[in-house]
Amino acid sequence: MKQLLYILTGMAFITACSTKDVPEPEFAVTPRSENYALGDSSFFYFTGNPYYITFYSGEQGAEYRYRNRITAAGTPQLEFTSYRQGGNQDNSLQLMISTDFPGIYDSASVYSENTHWTDITDRATLSTGSNNTKSGVVDLSDFLNDGKPVYIAYKYTGQNTNVAQRTWTIPLFTVTNVLEEDDRKMPVAASVADAAWAVVKIKNANVQWKISATNLKVTGGAAGSEEAESWVITKALVLNKATPDKGKPIKNMAANALASHYYIYANPGTYTATFEVSNTTVYESKTSVKEVPVTITP
């Protein structure tokens, strides 16, 4: 008899675990208060037991409405530093940008009749011999291109003359999207390495850009060296890029029912605390969202 009972119990368990029917998440949230003094803990009390709960505080970087955002209106800004050494040839470095480069890193694509490069060197300050010369902020708003990617390049040229060619180093490079709504800076390319450069050799294989994790560098030839030309070009950059906001998981399926949650806000203001709850299995996911207004006073 006991053996039969075990078998029936086991069959019931297997059936329950294999069902494809996922229940709607039952969940309610009640705040202890809608107003708190800065430094106090904001308390939220729960009823129901969903499989998963994710909390969005409503602060910058944790707003539920921006959880799937990948672009946002803003001002794209380029900043870099440069270092010019040696030689005596002028206009050897140019800052270029293209909205129609095909992303094929060869000379034919760089100089294709379908590729158009705009010289924006005059928007930046270049080194005249000092290391880590700041470019200043280079506004790229006129290249937003309806969210399509752009490519930024440094074009180096060395002439065949009786003076040595220049050497250039780019130690720092960033592109950010400064958001229209709150001036927050979203990284488009956060560093030299993040821009994922590629070298395109045009003339003189001995004088070409070298890429490292920390800088870009091209070393010019001595006086009388043959003419040189080398490009180093970024990956595709979406100038209005935005980073999705993130929530904090506070319960998973393995955990027991959660009765409450508390959070301490860092700054005064009015926030929308959001709880996204879901019952999720390999078969299906059902989701519900609860919002609670919270005001933090100084």
Side-chain angles (χ1 to χ4, degrees):
M1 186 68 179
K2 286 185 178 180
Q3 185 177 8
L4 178 60
L5 179 61
Y6 292 152
I7 292 172
L8 292 174
T9 302
M11 290 177 64
F13 177 77
I14 292 170
T15 301
C17 290
S18 62
T19 181
K20 295 183 180 181
D21 294 329
V22 175
E24 293 287 346
E26 295 184 4
F27 181 77
V29 56
T30 303
R32 185 182 67 185
S33 172
E34 291 187 358
N35 297 276
Y36 299 89
L38 184 64
D40 284 352
S41 296
S42 301
F43 271 93
F44 308 93
Y45 300 102
F46 305 146
T47 58
N49 186 25
Y51 299 171
Y52 300 93
I53 305 176
T54 301
F55 171 65
Y56 294 80
S57 68
E59 296 166 295
Q60 281 190 359
E63 294 188 69
Y64 181 77
R65 59 178 173 161
Y66 293 141
R67 69 197 183 284
N68 296 321
R69 175 175 65 177
I70 58 173
T71 62
T75 302
Q77 296 180 345
L78 163 65
E79 296 181 76
F80 63 93
T81 60
S82 61
Y83 183 23
R84 191 192 74 186
Q85 296 169 274
N88 195 27
Q89 297 186 11
D90 295 331
N91 305 317
S92 55
L93 184 70
Q94 292 171 272
L95 176 63
M96 314 292 284
I97 188 168
S98 175
T99 59
D100 53 17
F101 177 65
I104 302 172
Y105 295 88
D106 58 26
S107 58
S109 298
V110 168
Y111 279 108
S112 167
E113 63 180 10
N114 297 316
T115 301
H116 304 87
W117 292 96
T118 301
D119 187 339
I120 56 172
T121 312
D122 60 358
R123 301 188 186 190
T125 298
L126 298 181
S127 171
T128 56
S130 298
N131 195 5
N132 289 312
T133 297
K134 294 182 179 180
S135 64
V137 175
V138 180
D139 189 336
L140 301 177
S141 297
D142 46 326
F143 298 101
L144 277 168
N145 197 30
D146 294 328
K148 297 177 182 177
V150 305
Y151 296 81
I152 297 173
Y154 291 102
K155 176 186 176 183
Y156 174 84
T157 53
Q159 305 303 319
N160 181 327
T161 67
N162 60 356
V163 296
Q165 298 168 352
R166 300 286 194 188
T167 290
W168 283 94
T169 305
I170 309 297
L172 297 173
F173 179 92
T174 64
V175 181
T176 54
N177 180 24
V178 182
L179 297 191
E180 191 176 273
E181 64 177 32
D182 56 14
D183 292 329
R184 199 171 3 152
K185 291 187 175 182
M186 294 288 180
V188 177
S191 64
V192 168
D194 192 38
W197 303 83
V199 176
V200 179
K201 300 177 181 180
I202 307 293
K203 300 176 183 177
N204 190 352
N206 294 319
V207 179
Q208 299 295 328
W209 286 99
K210 304 295 183 184
I211 303 170
S212 75
T214 57
N215 64 47
L216 310 172
K217 186 172 184 177
V218 57
T219 303
S225 295
E226 66 178 276
E227 189 175 356
E229 182 179 343
S230 180
W231 292 60
V232 63
I233 308 173
T234 65
K235 66 180 179 181
L237 301 175
V238 178
L239 295 180
N240 63 342
K241 179 180 176 181
T243 303
D245 284 16
K246 294 182 179 181
K248 178 184 178 182
I250 59 175
K251 181 189 181 300
N252 60 33
M253 192 173 182
N256 294 327
L258 189 65
S260 65
H261 180 68
Y262 76 91
Y263 185 78
I264 300 176
Y265 286 86
N267 296 292
T270 299
Y271 304 95
T272 300
T274 305
F275 296 86
E276 181 184 52
V277 301
S278 65
N279 287 347
T280 302
T281 69
V282 293
Y283 301 111
E284 188 178 10
S285 180
K286 294 181 179 178
T287 301
S288 178
V289 176
K290 305 296 181 182
E291 295 182 341
V292 178
V294 177
T295 299
I296 306 299
T297 56

